[in-house]
Amino acid sequence: MEALVTTTRDVRVRNRFEVLRQLYRSGDVSRREIADASGLSFASVCNLVGELLALGVARETRFEDSGGGRPRGRVTVNAGYGALVGVDIAETYVQLQLFDLSLGLLASAGRDLHPEDNTPALVVSHVAAALSEALQAAGLERAGILGAGVSLPGQVQREKGVSVFAPNWGWHDVAFGDLLADALEVPVYLDNPLKASTTAELWFGVGRQHQDFAVITLGTGVGAGLALGGSLYRGSSNSAGEWGHTRLVLDGRVCRCGGSGCVEAYVGAPGILQHLRDRAPDSPLLRPDDQTASLNALALAADAGDPVALAVLTDTARYLGAGLADLVNLLNPEVVILSGWVTDRLGSLLLPEVRIAVGRHALRRPFEATRIQLCQVPEPVALGAGTLALEGFLAGIGAVTARPGAPADPAHLPTARPAP
Ligand SMILES: [Zn+2]
């Protein structure tokens, strides 16, 4: 069970996140602006900013007149303080991104995973190779890495870094965090794509304007990341958001979770291809044993107006809309974001009919309060994983002093693109 203990230190860590989030949102901000935007008192903000400056995590930029008092600088993230790693491990690939502390991208590297080769040792070796490649490309030393956030499919016991169950790989209780930390020699923060993509939205996407939203991942697997009251909702055992395994059809299609009639069995990639098989068993769009290629072919055919492909998208949108309506009724979110690789390929084609279907099935009041849109954050899982590493690092610095040699300016890291 994840402990839910609120201590003075927890409050301090939470407030530190809040101050940092304002720095990430604004780039360059005064203490007064942080206080106004966060609701924290000016004195608390000065205190927390002072701590971040002393640690070297933040730095002051240009000074401004404070009306007779001591002139105070505007504050920004010290991008060069150290590097963060975000890793998106999916059923078919490993994508690794190396960031500076402001979550500006420094380098990235990827590896393909084959469905039959998925032992923990093999996945670890791919991540390690990708990290070495990214470090070399960025001209960085491993010692500069503050932590690696890693998203793994399936259910994850975050605090122990254990993959509880990865259904496509048949992993049960794999101590993946330890294996990876030994290989990478950096602190590892393990979670799943639902939590990672929602964290990316909280820091860099719709979370800048909205408190209550759901991030729907449509891929081989399906799930929802939930942000409630401006925070990621994990539930009592980090399992919140398994919406993909809620019941859409009683005694319906068998699901890979072992149940039947789950949302995922109708709107995950294999479920969508099953709609195609039901309508056209010999469709040339079906590529044997290649889900990704079949989905790509389906998307191209739908774009070209192929009637079977369009009918399959209508089937998918109807099931997806019905499933989302349950979520809208249950949570009353401001925004529902569609994300994941299936959304990348089919999202813009699905969206109009999904909106209609949600409207048909949801209650009017929550439906009218909900916007349904496609994800705008690039590579949200890797970025979110990097942000989880940032959060892990920030949570641990309560008793830590400034890193020796931490530079006051970002000169020792290459120029980064601005965080999205
Ligand atoms: Zn299921």
Side-chain angles (χ1 to χ4, degrees):
M1 297 281 281
E2 306 255 321
L4 183 69
V5 181
T6 302
T7 62
T8 312
R9 186 161 176 280
D10 291 337
V11 172
R12 191 160 183 83
V13 168
R14 198 186 308 146
N15 290 347
R16 187 187 296 148
F17 280 8
E18 197 46 52
V19 168
L20 254 296
R21 262 192 224 175
Q22 297 304 324
L23 301 191
Y24 281 88
R25 278 170 198 180
S26 313
D28 171 85
V29 67
S30 74
R31 291 163 178 78
R32 174 61 63 195
E33 287 162 352
I34 296 171
D36 290 347
S38 66
L40 296 169
S41 75
F42 183 67
S44 292
V45 168
C46 289
N47 191 326
L48 290 159
V49 165
E51 179 188 87
L52 294 171
L53 290 171
L55 286 164
V57 171
R59 64 191 176 90
E60 285 187 295
T61 57
R62 57 201 162 87
F63 282 79
E64 57 187 21
D65 189 359
S66 58
R70 188 161 63 90
R72 287 187 184 278
R74 294 176 70 79
V75 185
T76 192
V77 176
N78 183 7
Y81 178 85
L84 298 162
V85 177
V87 191
D88 174 9
I89 301 174
E91 278 88 351
T92 53
Y93 64 86
V94 169
Q95 176 65 24
L96 179 143
Q97 298 199 325
L98 186 63
F99 304 99
D100 64 23
L101 192 69
S102 71
L103 272 305
L105 184 64
L106 299 173
S108 59
R111 294 287 185 278
D112 286 335
L113 285 181
H114 299 290
E116 64 277 12
D117 297 328
N118 49 41
T119 62
L122 185 84
V123 177
V124 165
S125 73
H126 280 312
V127 177
L131 179 59
S132 297
E133 185 185 323
L135 283 170
Q136 192 170 26
L140 279 184
E141 297 293 328
R142 193 171 297 254
I145 298 176
L146 303 171
V150 178
S151 165
L152 202 61
Q155 290 170 28
V156 168
Q157 192 183 16
R158 167 177 84 98
E159 288 176 344
K160 293 188 175 166
V162 170
S163 166
V164 177
F165 180 41
N168 263 16
W169 292 343
W171 290 12
H172 290 274
D173 297 319
V174 174
F176 191 75
D178 286 347
L179 292 174
L180 202 55
D182 286 347
L184 303 186
E185 300 173 62
V186 303
V188 167
Y189 304 93
L190 200 64
D191 220 314
N192 75 8
L194 306 179
K195 308 298 187 297
S197 52
T198 305
T199 302
E201 290 287 350
L202 273 165
W203 285 73
F204 302 105
V206 298
R208 293 172 186 225
Q209 277 96 37
H210 300 284
Q211 299 269 307
D212 298 298
F213 58 88
V215 182
I216 307 299
T217 295
L218 298 178
T220 307
V222 169
L226 308 175
L228 303 178
S231 298
L232 177 65
Y233 181 71
R234 295 182 175 279
S236 63
S237 63
N238 202 34
S239 302
E242 292 294 349
W243 163 80
H245 302 286
T246 55
R247 211 64 55 230
L248 194 54
V249 179
L250 206 56
D251 301 324
R253 287 180 187 170
V254 172
C255 180
R256 64 189 179 133
C257 72
S260 66
C262 297
V263 170
E264 180 176 299
Y266 296 85
V267 306
I272 296 171
L273 296 175
Q274 187 59 46
H275 296 316
L276 176 56
R277 235 174 266 116
D278 289 349
R279 286 187 174 271
D282 302 318
S283 170
L285 303 175
L286 290 164
R287 309 291 151 84
D289 301 323
D290 195 337
Q291 198 184 99
T292 315
S294 303
L295 243 297
N296 287 341
L298 177 69
L300 284 174
D303 260 332
D306 176 81
V308 173
L310 290 172
V312 168
L313 292 195
T314 299
D315 295 339
T316 305
R318 290 178 66 232
Y319 282 108
L320 181 55
L324 290 177
D326 288 347
L327 206 62
V328 166
N329 284 348
L330 203 59
L331 296 175
N332 188 200
E334 299 166 84
V335 191
V336 171
I337 300 140
L338 303 184
S339 181
W341 69 266
V342 168
T343 300
D344 292 343
R345 284 160 179 84
L346 301 179
S348 55
L349 294 165
L350 287 171
L351 192 58
E353 290 202 55
V354 168
R355 285 195 178 116
I356 292 167
V358 177
R360 186 179 303 137
H361 296 289
L363 293 174
R364 204 180 76 181
R365 190 174 164 82
F367 175 66
E368 285 179 350
T370 304
R371 203 169 70 222
I372 302 167
Q373 65 182 51
L374 305 180
C375 174
Q376 306 292 324
V377 175
E379 304 281 358
V381 176
L383 176 63
T387 313
L388 288 168
L390 170 67
E391 290 188 350
F393 162 70
L394 289 175
I397 61 176
V400 175
T401 51
R403 267 155 47 87
D409 64 59
H412 89 302
L413 286 185
T415 309
R417 68 158 164 76

